[in-house]
Amino acid sequence: MKVLFFFILSTAWTLIGAQHYYQGLMDYLENRLLAIEDRMQLWRDQFHHYHIETLDFKKLTAEVMDGLRKEHGLIAKDLEGAAERMDRVEREMEYVESQTSPRACAKQADKVVEQEAWGPQEREEEEEEDWTELHSRVSDCADIFSSIRSVKILKRVGSPKGMWTTDPRSSKVYVFNGTSGDTVFQFSSVRDFSRSLGVSNSKIIKLPSEWSGAGGAVYNGYLYYIKQHADTDVQIVKYDLFSGSVTDTAIFPVESRASLYKLNPETTADLAADDEGLWLLYASSDSEPNISLAKMDASTLDIEETWDTRCPREKAEAAFVICGTVYVVYNTRLASRSRVECLFDVNDVVISEEAPLLYFPRRYGSHASLKYNPGEKQLYGWDDGYQIIYRLTTKRKVLA
């Protein structure tokens, strides 16, 4: 009996202790749940706050974007107006320059060529007279390049390397895309070229043979180019742009088809035109460190005289000729700022050592070609696919 009593008592005590344990556990869990609910409520409040801030920020961003779009539209209209005014200014300047240019005394036949209305017979009759006038100006040509007055980046079209130029007798533009090919793109003017989509508005000229390098030239209605040739000799082709036929070719013997400019190894010879006529820059051999110069008869392609310019080919990227003075432009392997470091005057009036170092403005890469137009006093440069116009300032040579 006593044993049963103690058993019941211990069992009851155990049950009471277990009830207290479970009650404490339940209280703990309830408190934890309440804490979690409070935390979740805090998160809800914070999320709601952040959501409201995000909506406000989105609304503010939309308002700012609308304002920027309106300002962009106003700026675009201002730029269009400025572009139109610039076009008018350029047209007026071109008109003034055409009236005051030293070449404004060109004969009426020059204007007829520009309008492509010159018959074969009339052209033949005027050609001799034009050449007489051209050579009469040789002794009067005494300009020297002194600085770059302005730079105009016209557009970007074509390969990283190429050449574009104009004929001093007309406003037509000729584009040689790449370093070889048989196609030349002709535009009626620089403005037409700048406004065209790529070369879509051009007249396509198919040459009878491929040209090589960026050394072509357009002079007095003829296109002169270096023919793609497997032999060591440099072959020059004279192509009549009016009749669309080859009128003459010439072989210029050299020891090897060495690169004229070390930074543009595709160019083995470079034709240049100035007030005094047609010139040929070349490398006489691969072992010759300097650039050589030849004066050519533009009519017959005969070589009249040759010189060693003493300007090194190493680090040279391009060259141009003004009034019988060769200006060689140099750069570095990792393209930096181009500069004229060497010049050679066939009349020995200007000495390279006494000439100032002339820098070109920073651009995109390095020049693949530079072509001078003596009538406009402008350089047409090809830089990493960009077509650039440099307007030059010249001064008179100081004669001894």
Side-chain angles (χ1 to χ4, degrees):
M1 209 50 194
K2 288 182 179 180
V3 174
L4 179 61
F5 173 76
F6 282 114
F7 175 74
I8 293 172
L9 182 63
S10 63
T11 302
W13 183 259
T14 303
L15 290 174
I16 291 171
Q19 183 178 4
H20 282 223
Y21 172 77
Y22 286 120
Q23 182 62 40
L25 179 62
M26 293 300 294
D27 291 343
Y28 172 77
L29 292 175
E30 184 177 1
N31 291 334
R32 295 301 297 169
L33 288 173
L34 289 174
I36 291 173
E37 287 179 355
D38 292 340
R39 184 62 59 86
M40 291 181 67
Q41 184 62 39
L42 177 62
W43 289 345
R44 289 193 198 97
D45 294 342
Q46 290 179 345
F47 175 77
H48 180 72
H49 176 71
Y50 293 147
H51 180 65
I52 295 299
E53 286 188 346
T54 303
L55 292 177
D56 292 341
F57 179 73
K58 183 178 179 181
K59 181 179 179 181
L60 179 62
T61 304
E63 292 175 354
V64 172
M65 289 298 295
D66 288 339
L68 289 175
R69 290 191 189 96
K70 291 178 182 178
E71 291 182 5
H72 179 269
L74 294 174
I75 293 173
K77 290 181 180 178
D78 290 342
L79 289 174
E80 289 176 1
E84 292 177 359
R85 289 193 292 272
M86 285 296 296
D87 286 339
R88 287 198 298 269
V89 171
E90 287 182 355
R91 287 195 296 269
E92 292 174 0
M93 290 180 65
E94 289 174 359
Y95 173 76
V96 172
E97 288 177 354
S98 68
Q99 299 300 311
T100 59
S101 169
R103 295 179 63 87
C105 61
K107 295 187 178 300
Q108 184 66 25
D110 294 345
K111 300 179 181 179
V112 178
V113 171
E114 185 173 350
Q115 298 169 0
E116 296 187 350
W118 201 345
Q121 184 175 358
E122 295 172 307
R123 180 174 186 165
E124 189 174 331
E125 292 173 355
E126 294 285 352
E127 189 174 52
E128 183 177 353
E129 188 175 0
D130 288 342
W131 277 108
T132 303
E133 181 189 0
L134 175 66
H135 288 294
S136 68
R137 291 198 303 267
V138 169
S139 58
D140 297 331
C141 184
D143 289 336
I144 182 173
F145 169 38
S146 60
S147 65
I148 295 175
R149 185 168 59 178
S150 63
V151 180
K152 182 174 183 179
I153 302 170
L154 197 70
K155 64 189 300 183
R156 187 179 192 182
V157 59
S159 304
K161 292 188 177 184
M163 186 204 82
W164 74 303
T165 187
T166 58
D167 187 346
R169 290 172 59 116
S170 74
S171 61
K172 291 184 175 63
V173 174
Y174 299 88
V175 178
F176 295 67
N177 184 26
T179 56
S180 64
D182 62 353
T183 303
V184 178
F185 303 97
Q186 176 185 289
F187 294 85
S188 58
S189 66
V190 172
R191 183 172 287 107
D192 286 343
F193 176 46
S194 66
R195 292 176 176 175
S196 69
L197 181 63
V199 293
S200 57
N201 296 333
S202 66
K203 173 186 175 182
I204 296 177
I205 300 174
K206 281 288 186 181
L207 300 176
S209 57
E210 289 197 3
W211 44 268
S212 172
V218 179
Y219 184 66
N220 285 350
Y222 293 93
L223 190 154
Y224 301 83
Y225 64 95
I226 309 300
K227 183 179 179 181
Q228 185 81 27
H229 208 263
D231 299 334
T232 59
D233 296 332
V234 172
Q235 185 169 358
I236 303 166
V237 179
K238 180 181 179 182
Y239 180 84
D240 190 333
L241 291 167
F242 182 80
S243 64
S245 61
V246 173
T247 60
D248 207 349
T249 60
I251 300 292
F252 193 72
V254 292
E255 292 183 13
S256 62
R257 287 175 64 87
S259 298
L260 174 60
Y261 310 121
K262 288 293 188 179
L263 295 185
N264 286 308
E266 302 85 1
T267 301
T268 56
D270 195 1
L271 292 156
D274 70 348
D275 290 286
E276 296 193 6
L278 192 64
W279 306 85
L280 176 68
L281 295 154
Y282 66 98
S284 59
S285 69
D286 199 34
S287 60
E288 171 57 48
N290 296 335
I291 294 173
S292 297
L293 174 69
K295 180 67 174 68
M296 300 187 67
D297 186 324
S299 299
T300 63
L301 299 184
D302 291 337
I303 300 298
E304 298 176 350
E305 193 172 352
T306 60
W307 298 265
D308 176 5
T309 66
R310 298 185 294 279
C311 292
R313 295 157 53 210
E314 188 66 31
K315 296 183 180 180
E317 65 177 14
F320 55 94
V321 182
I322 300 177
C323 290
T325 302
V326 180
Y327 300 83
V328 184
V329 182
Y330 293 87
N331 209 317
T332 56
R333 293 288 178 184
L334 296 176
S336 61
R337 194 173 176 186
S338 301
R339 60 256 176 211
V340 176
E341 289 185 357
C342 183
L343 58 85
F344 175 77
D345 185 5
V346 298
N347 299 311
D348 292 328
V349 175
V350 183
I351 302 174
S352 182
E353 290 75 7
E354 298 176 356
L357 191 63
L358 300 171
Y359 280 90
F360 284 78
R362 286 191 179 274
R363 304 165 328 281
Y364 304 96
S366 61
H367 294 107
S369 62
L370 287 167
K371 296 298 175 179
Y372 178 65
N373 185 307
E376 302 168 345
K377 297 188 185 301
Q378 294 185 155
L379 280 176
Y380 290 81
W382 190 291
D383 176 12
D384 196 26
Y386 288 90
Q387 289 72 49
I388 302 176
I389 299 176
Y390 297 100
R391 182 163 291 183
L392 307 183
T393 298
T394 60
K395 62 183 180 181
R396 302 292 288 180
K397 294 179 182 179
V398 179
L399 300 177

